[in-house]
């Protein structure tokens, strides 16, 4: 039974390389988040804008709690709280709206869109972002669920492992905090291998390109599980989590944001495409750049150019050798899951 299932699954997956015929509009998003892809596609079909499609598509994942890594009730931080990061970008005007460390509001990408529409700012954070959300009419809700509570208590029970501290006492690889910095300055070499894996992967990232070549992009996530309160990852940062430029293309990244955000991978991918680089190659070049510094990082990126060609790439590590993503275009009669081999 299981074997048959696996064979069927393989049969319906289209190899990404073989399917790069181009048509517009195109919607691509990270991971096999099918309902997000369907929602975004439906919004475009019913005459919504590219930004509307990105907002509704990523918003669908916030409702569905995609993989537990988007929306409420997932990835509790060190104090057990779920906080959200999201961004949305308009590739025509280059406006960005983003929120980070958002608390007690579920629809993070909705709030990010309001940052574009009702402020002259780009990024709002923390409690103040929540106050802004309430002013914009979003309800205050508890983001904690039975699931996030049990993830938190399991983590406490296993001596707070894993966590994101280093060079502290007591030894953070063995015990819980509160930690203090070590007096002696014998820093351990920084581990560049990712704590995160395909099992707790994160982030919906989406790129939508309309019939006229208008590009929009967005992301939404609840961040790294057991993060330090206040930690903000790549997702809400323009050029890191995603980037959209209607004169070149769009890209969105997923994976270990603490490492990836240092390289502005989405910005870099769009710049490669601006120079005429094929989207798949642009994605691969971005991954190889990061590989030089962090060979074992967990991460992937999706890329699309303004004529509707698209591609993806990921860094091959044990347990993560293929990356699944969703594509919708007139050439595919419905949102289709595609897969790419990591490099
Ligand atoms: C903590 O973990 C141990 C096993 O490591 C288990 O026996 C115990 O029931 C757990 N306690 C709680 C409160 O989950
Ligand atoms: C998009 O990529 C395809 C495939 O590499 C290429 O043929 C096309 O010219 C690109 N479009 C633009 C606007 O660069």
């Amino acid at each position: 039974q299981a074997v048959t299932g696996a064979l069927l699954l393989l049969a319906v997956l289209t190899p990404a390389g073989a399917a790069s015929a181009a048509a517009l509009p195109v919607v691509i998003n990270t991971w096999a988040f099918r309902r997000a892809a369907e929602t975004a596609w439906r919004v475009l079909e019913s005459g919504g804008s590219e930004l509307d499609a990105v907002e509704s598509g990523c918003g669908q994942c916030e409702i569905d709690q995609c993989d537990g890594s988007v929306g409420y009730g997932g990835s509790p931080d060190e104090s057990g709280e779920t906080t959200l990061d999201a961004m949305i970008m308009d590739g025509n005007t280059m406006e960005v709206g983003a929120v980070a460390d958002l608390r007690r509001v579920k629809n993070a990408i909705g709030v990010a869109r309001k940052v574009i529409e009702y402020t002259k700012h780009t990024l709002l954070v923390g409690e103040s972002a929540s106050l802004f959300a309430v002013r914009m009419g979003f309800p205050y809700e508890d983001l904690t669920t039975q699931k996030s509570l049990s993830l938190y208590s399991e983590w406490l029970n296993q001596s707070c492992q894993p966590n994101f501290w280093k060079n502290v006492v007591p030894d953070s690889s063995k015990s819980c905090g509160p930690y203090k910095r070590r007096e002696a300055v014998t820093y351990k070499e920084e581990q560049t291998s990712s704590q995160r894996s395909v099992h707790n992967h994160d982030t919906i990232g989406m790129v939508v390109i309309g019939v006229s070549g208008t590009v929009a992009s967005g992301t939404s996530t609840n961040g790294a599980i057991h993060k330090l309160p206040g930690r903000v990852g790549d997702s809400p940062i323009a050029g890191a989590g995603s980037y959209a430029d209607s004169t070149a293309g769009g890209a969105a990244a997923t994976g270990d944001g603490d490492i990836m955000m240092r390289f502005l991978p989405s910005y870099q991918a769009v710049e490669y495409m601006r120079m005429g680089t094929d989207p798949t190659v642009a994605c691969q070049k971005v991954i190889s750049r990061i590989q030089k510094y962090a060979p074992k990082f967990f991460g992937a990126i999706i890329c699309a150019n303004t004529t509707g060609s698209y591609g993806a790439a990921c860094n091959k590590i044990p347990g993560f050798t293929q990356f699944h993503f969703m594509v919708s275009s007139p050439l595919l009669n419905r949102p289709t899951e595609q897969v790419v081999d990591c490099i």
Side-chain angles (χ1 to χ4, degrees), residues 22-42:
L24 291 173
V26 66
V27 174
I28 56 174
N29 64 261
T30 56
W31 309 110
F33 297 151
R34 180 174 298 275
R35 272 167 54 87
E38 286 169 351
T39 298
W41 190 245
R42 207 177 317 120

PDB file of all heavy atoms in Angstrom, residues 22-42:
ATOM      1  N   ALA A  22       7.240  29.103 -20.466  1.00  0.00           N
ATOM      2  CA  ALA A  22       6.806  30.300 -19.751  1.00  0.00           C
ATOM      3  C   ALA A  22       5.440  30.770 -20.206  1.00  0.00           C
ATOM      4  O   ALA A  22       5.116  30.735 -21.388  1.00  0.00           O
ATOM      5  CB  ALA A  22       7.828  31.408 -19.973  1.00  0.00           C
ATOM      6  N   ALA A  23       4.627  31.199 -19.273  1.00  0.00           N
ATOM      7  CA  ALA A  23       3.359  31.838 -19.575  1.00  0.00           C
ATOM      8  C   ALA A  23       2.970  32.678 -18.366  1.00  0.00           C
ATOM      9  O   ALA A  23       3.391  32.406 -17.244  1.00  0.00           O
ATOM     10  CB  ALA A  23       2.291  30.800 -19.869  1.00  0.00           C
ATOM     11  N   LEU A  24       2.163  33.670 -18.611  1.00  0.00           N
ATOM     12  CA  LEU A  24       1.703  34.535 -17.521  1.00  0.00           C
ATOM     13  C   LEU A  24       0.175  34.477 -17.448  1.00  0.00           C
ATOM     14  O   LEU A  24      -0.468  34.264 -18.473  1.00  0.00           O
ATOM     15  CB  LEU A  24       2.152  35.985 -17.777  1.00  0.00           C
ATOM     16  CG  LEU A  24       3.659  36.237 -17.670  1.00  0.00           C
ATOM     17  CD1 LEU A  24       4.005  37.654 -18.115  1.00  0.00           C
ATOM     18  CD2 LEU A  24       4.154  35.994 -16.246  1.00  0.00           C
ATOM     19  N   PRO A  25      -0.412  34.660 -16.270  1.00  0.00           N
ATOM     20  CA  PRO A  25       0.271  34.914 -14.998  1.00  0.00           C
ATOM     21  C   PRO A  25       0.908  33.644 -14.439  1.00  0.00           C
ATOM     22  O   PRO A  25       0.569  32.547 -14.859  1.00  0.00           O
ATOM     23  CB  PRO A  25      -0.858  35.387 -14.089  1.00  0.00           C
ATOM     24  CG  PRO A  25      -2.072  34.690 -14.607  1.00  0.00           C
ATOM     25  CD  PRO A  25      -1.887  34.621 -16.101  1.00  0.00           C
ATOM     26  N   VAL A  26       1.801  33.845 -13.480  1.00  0.00           N
ATOM     27  CA  VAL A  26       2.381  32.705 -12.783  1.00  0.00           C
ATOM     28  C   VAL A  26       2.380  32.985 -11.279  1.00  0.00           C
ATOM     29  O   VAL A  26       2.589  34.127 -10.852  1.00  0.00           O
ATOM     30  CB  VAL A  26       3.797  32.380 -13.324  1.00  0.00           C
ATOM     31  CG1 VAL A  26       4.791  33.485 -13.013  1.00  0.00           C
ATOM     32  CG2 VAL A  26       4.316  31.062 -12.767  1.00  0.00           C
ATOM     33  N   VAL A  27       2.068  31.944 -10.516  1.00  0.00           N
ATOM     34  CA  VAL A  27       2.137  32.010  -9.052  1.00  0.00           C
ATOM     35  C   VAL A  27       3.068  30.892  -8.622  1.00  0.00           C
ATOM     36  O   VAL A  27       2.855  29.738  -8.992  1.00  0.00           O
ATOM     37  CB  VAL A  27       0.750  31.772  -8.405  1.00  0.00           C
ATOM     38  CG1 VAL A  27       0.876  31.704  -6.874  1.00  0.00           C
ATOM     39  CG2 VAL A  27      -0.235  32.849  -8.809  1.00  0.00           C
ATOM     40  N   ILE A  28       4.120  31.219  -7.870  1.00  0.00           N
ATOM     41  CA  ILE A  28       4.937  30.141  -7.303  1.00  0.00           C
ATOM     42  C   ILE A  28       5.045  30.361  -5.795  1.00  0.00           C
ATOM     43  O   ILE A  28       5.075  31.496  -5.323  1.00  0.00           O
ATOM     44  CB  ILE A  28       6.356  30.043  -7.931  1.00  0.00           C
ATOM     45  CG1 ILE A  28       7.123  31.358  -7.824  1.00  0.00           C
ATOM     46  CG2 ILE A  28       6.295  29.621  -9.386  1.00  0.00           C
ATOM     47  CD1 ILE A  28       8.564  31.230  -8.299  1.00  0.00           C
ATOM     48  N   ASN A  29       5.039  29.273  -5.062  1.00  0.00           N
ATOM     49  CA  ASN A  29       5.265  29.398  -3.623  1.00  0.00           C
ATOM     50  C   ASN A  29       6.095  28.245  -3.084  1.00  0.00           C
ATOM     51  O   ASN A  29       6.144  27.166  -3.670  1.00  0.00           O
ATOM     52  CB  ASN A  29       3.952  29.557  -2.838  1.00  0.00           C
ATOM     53  CG  ASN A  29       3.020  28.385  -2.905  1.00  0.00           C
ATOM     54  OD1 ASN A  29       2.067  28.389  -3.690  1.00  0.00           O
ATOM     55  ND2 ASN A  29       3.251  27.373  -2.084  1.00  0.00           N
ATOM     56  N   THR A  30       6.776  28.528  -1.969  1.00  0.00           N
ATOM     57  CA  THR A  30       7.653  27.539  -1.349  1.00  0.00           C
ATOM     58  C   THR A  30       6.828  26.404  -0.751  1.00  0.00           C
ATOM     59  O   THR A  30       5.721  26.614  -0.273  1.00  0.00           O
ATOM     60  CB  THR A  30       8.477  28.190  -0.214  1.00  0.00           C
ATOM     61  OG1 THR A  30       7.577  28.805   0.726  1.00  0.00           O
ATOM     62  CG2 THR A  30       9.432  29.242  -0.750  1.00  0.00           C
ATOM     63  N   TRP A  31       7.387  25.213  -0.768  1.00  0.00           N
ATOM     64  CA  TRP A  31       6.803  23.988  -0.188  1.00  0.00           C
ATOM     65  C   TRP A  31       5.506  23.592  -0.886  1.00  0.00           C
ATOM     66  O   TRP A  31       4.982  24.349  -1.708  1.00  0.00           O
ATOM     67  CB  TRP A  31       6.602  24.134   1.327  1.00  0.00           C
ATOM     68  CG  TRP A  31       7.825  24.593   2.048  1.00  0.00           C
ATOM     69  CD1 TRP A  31       8.028  25.808   2.631  1.00  0.00           C
ATOM     70  CD2 TRP A  31       9.070  23.857   2.220  1.00  0.00           C
ATOM     71  NE1 TRP A  31       9.289  25.880   3.169  1.00  0.00           N
ATOM     72  CE2 TRP A  31       9.944  24.697   2.933  1.00  0.00           C
ATOM     73  CE3 TRP A  31       9.495  22.582   1.847  1.00  0.00           C
ATOM     74  CZ2 TRP A  31      11.241  24.304   3.280  1.00  0.00           C
ATOM     75  CZ3 TRP A  31      10.780  22.192   2.198  1.00  0.00           C
ATOM     76  CH2 TRP A  31      11.630  23.046   2.907  1.00  0.00           C
ATOM     77  N   ALA A  32       5.017  22.424  -0.517  1.00  0.00           N
ATOM     78  CA  ALA A  32       3.802  21.907  -1.172  1.00  0.00           C
ATOM     79  C   ALA A  32       2.554  22.458  -0.489  1.00  0.00           C
ATOM     80  O   ALA A  32       1.638  21.707  -0.147  1.00  0.00           O
ATOM     81  CB  ALA A  32       3.830  20.383  -1.136  1.00  0.00           C
ATOM     82  N   PHE A  33       2.515  23.768  -0.301  1.00  0.00           N
ATOM     83  CA  PHE A  33       1.360  24.390   0.343  1.00  0.00           C
ATOM     84  C   PHE A  33       0.291  24.635  -0.731  1.00  0.00           C
ATOM     85  O   PHE A  33       0.156  25.733  -1.268  1.00  0.00           O
ATOM     86  CB  PHE A  33       1.762  25.690   1.046  1.00  0.00           C
ATOM     87  CG  PHE A  33       2.763  25.503   2.169  1.00  0.00           C
ATOM     88  CD1 PHE A  33       3.661  26.516   2.490  1.00  0.00           C
ATOM     89  CD2 PHE A  33       2.792  24.330   2.928  1.00  0.00           C
ATOM     90  CE1 PHE A  33       4.570  26.369   3.536  1.00  0.00           C
ATOM     91  CE2 PHE A  33       3.708  24.176   3.974  1.00  0.00           C
ATOM     92  CZ  PHE A  33       4.599  25.196   4.275  1.00  0.00           C
ATOM     93  N   ARG A  34      -0.469  23.584  -1.022  1.00  0.00           N
ATOM     94  CA  ARG A  34      -1.385  23.583  -2.155  1.00  0.00           C
ATOM     95  C   ARG A  34      -2.542  24.557  -1.988  1.00  0.00           C
ATOM     96  O   ARG A  34      -2.901  25.281  -2.909  1.00  0.00           O
ATOM     97  CB  ARG A  34      -1.914  22.152  -2.385  1.00  0.00           C
ATOM     98  CG  ARG A  34      -2.883  22.015  -3.551  1.00  0.00           C
ATOM     99  CD  ARG A  34      -3.247  20.562  -3.802  1.00  0.00           C
ATOM    100  NE  ARG A  34      -2.070  19.779  -4.159  1.00  0.00           N
ATOM    101  CZ  ARG A  34      -1.585  19.683  -5.404  1.00  0.00           C
ATOM    102  NH1 ARG A  34      -2.179  20.315  -6.394  1.00  0.00           N
ATOM    103  NH2 ARG A  34      -0.521  18.957  -5.645  1.00  0.00           N
ATOM    104  N   ARG A  35      -3.119  24.583  -0.777  1.00  0.00           N
ATOM    105  CA  ARG A  35      -4.276  25.466  -0.595  1.00  0.00           C
ATOM    106  C   ARG A  35      -3.880  26.939  -0.738  1.00  0.00           C
ATOM    107  O   ARG A  35      -4.651  27.748  -1.252  1.00  0.00           O
ATOM    108  CB  ARG A  35      -4.932  25.210   0.762  1.00  0.00           C
ATOM    109  CG  ARG A  35      -5.998  24.103   0.689  1.00  0.00           C
ATOM    110  CD  ARG A  35      -6.430  23.610   2.060  1.00  0.00           C
ATOM    111  NE  ARG A  35      -6.881  24.660   2.967  1.00  0.00           N
ATOM    112  CZ  ARG A  35      -8.130  25.107   3.026  1.00  0.00           C
ATOM    113  NH1 ARG A  35      -9.063  24.616   2.226  1.00  0.00           N
ATOM    114  NH2 ARG A  35      -8.466  26.043   3.892  1.00  0.00           N
ATOM    115  N   ALA A  36      -2.676  27.261  -0.322  1.00  0.00           N
ATOM    116  CA  ALA A  36      -2.186  28.636  -0.490  1.00  0.00           C
ATOM    117  C   ALA A  36      -2.093  28.970  -1.979  1.00  0.00           C
ATOM    118  O   ALA A  36      -2.513  30.045  -2.423  1.00  0.00           O
ATOM    119  CB  ALA A  36      -0.827  28.785   0.176  1.00  0.00           C
ATOM    120  N   ALA A  37      -1.546  28.021  -2.752  1.00  0.00           N
ATOM    121  CA  ALA A  37      -1.409  28.220  -4.195  1.00  0.00           C
ATOM    122  C   ALA A  37      -2.782  28.371  -4.845  1.00  0.00           C
ATOM    123  O   ALA A  37      -2.997  29.252  -5.684  1.00  0.00           O
ATOM    124  CB  ALA A  37      -0.655  27.038  -4.801  1.00  0.00           C
ATOM    125  N   GLU A  38      -3.721  27.513  -4.443  1.00  0.00           N
ATOM    126  CA  GLU A  38      -5.072  27.557  -5.026  1.00  0.00           C
ATOM    127  C   GLU A  38      -5.756  28.875  -4.702  1.00  0.00           C
ATOM    128  O   GLU A  38      -6.409  29.479  -5.560  1.00  0.00           O
ATOM    129  CB  GLU A  38      -5.904  26.391  -4.485  1.00  0.00           C
ATOM    130  CG  GLU A  38      -5.504  25.059  -5.094  1.00  0.00           C
ATOM    131  CD  GLU A  38      -6.129  23.847  -4.383  1.00  0.00           C
ATOM    132  OE1 GLU A  38      -6.741  24.023  -3.299  1.00  0.00           O
ATOM    133  OE2 GLU A  38      -5.967  22.732  -4.905  1.00  0.00           O
ATOM    134  N   THR A  39      -5.610  29.336  -3.476  1.00  0.00           N
ATOM    135  CA  THR A  39      -6.248  30.591  -3.071  1.00  0.00           C
ATOM    136  C   THR A  39      -5.688  31.761  -3.880  1.00  0.00           C
ATOM    137  O   THR A  39      -6.441  32.583  -4.407  1.00  0.00           O
ATOM    138  CB  THR A  39      -6.043  30.834  -1.558  1.00  0.00           C
ATOM    139  OG1 THR A  39      -6.682  29.776  -0.859  1.00  0.00           O
ATOM    140  CG2 THR A  39      -6.637  32.159  -1.128  1.00  0.00           C
ATOM    141  N   ALA A  40      -4.369  31.815  -4.008  1.00  0.00           N
ATOM    142  CA  ALA A  40      -3.748  32.918  -4.758  1.00  0.00           C
ATOM    143  C   ALA A  40      -4.211  32.882  -6.219  1.00  0.00           C
ATOM    144  O   ALA A  40      -4.536  33.923  -6.804  1.00  0.00           O
ATOM    145  CB  ALA A  40      -2.224  32.808  -4.685  1.00  0.00           C
ATOM    146  N   TRP A  41      -4.258  31.693  -6.789  1.00  0.00           N
ATOM    147  CA  TRP A  41      -4.653  31.543  -8.192  1.00  0.00           C
ATOM    148  C   TRP A  41      -6.103  31.978  -8.400  1.00  0.00           C
ATOM    149  O   TRP A  41      -6.425  32.667  -9.366  1.00  0.00           O
ATOM    150  CB  TRP A  41      -4.454  30.075  -8.608  1.00  0.00           C
ATOM    151  CG  TRP A  41      -4.601  29.834 -10.080  1.00  0.00           C
ATOM    152  CD1 TRP A  41      -5.567  29.087 -10.693  1.00  0.00           C
ATOM    153  CD2 TRP A  41      -3.758  30.339 -11.126  1.00  0.00           C
ATOM    154  NE1 TRP A  41      -5.371  29.089 -12.059  1.00  0.00           N
ATOM    155  CE2 TRP A  41      -4.268  29.854 -12.350  1.00  0.00           C
ATOM    156  CE3 TRP A  41      -2.619  31.163 -11.140  1.00  0.00           C
ATOM    157  CZ2 TRP A  41      -3.697  30.161 -13.579  1.00  0.00           C
ATOM    158  CZ3 TRP A  41      -2.051  31.469 -12.371  1.00  0.00           C
ATOM    159  CH2 TRP A  41      -2.587  30.973 -13.564  1.00  0.00           C
ATOM    160  N   ARG A  42      -6.969  31.597  -7.456  1.00  0.00           N
ATOM    161  CA  ARG A  42      -8.384  31.953  -7.534  1.00  0.00           C
ATOM    162  C   ARG A  42      -8.541  33.482  -7.467  1.00  0.00           C
ATOM    163  O   ARG A  42      -9.342  34.063  -8.196  1.00  0.00           O
ATOM    164  CB  ARG A  42      -9.153  31.293  -6.368  1.00  0.00           C
ATOM    165  CG  ARG A  42     -10.605  31.037  -6.672  1.00  0.00           C
ATOM    166  CD  ARG A  42     -11.326  30.306  -5.532  1.00  0.00           C
ATOM    167  NE  ARG A  42     -10.562  29.209  -4.962  1.00  0.00           N
ATOM    168  CZ  ARG A  42     -10.177  29.130  -3.689  1.00  0.00           C
ATOM    169  NH1 ARG A  42     -10.456  30.100  -2.827  1.00  0.00           N
ATOM    170  NH2 ARG A  42      -9.515  28.079  -3.252  1.00  0.00           N
TER     171      ARG A  42
END
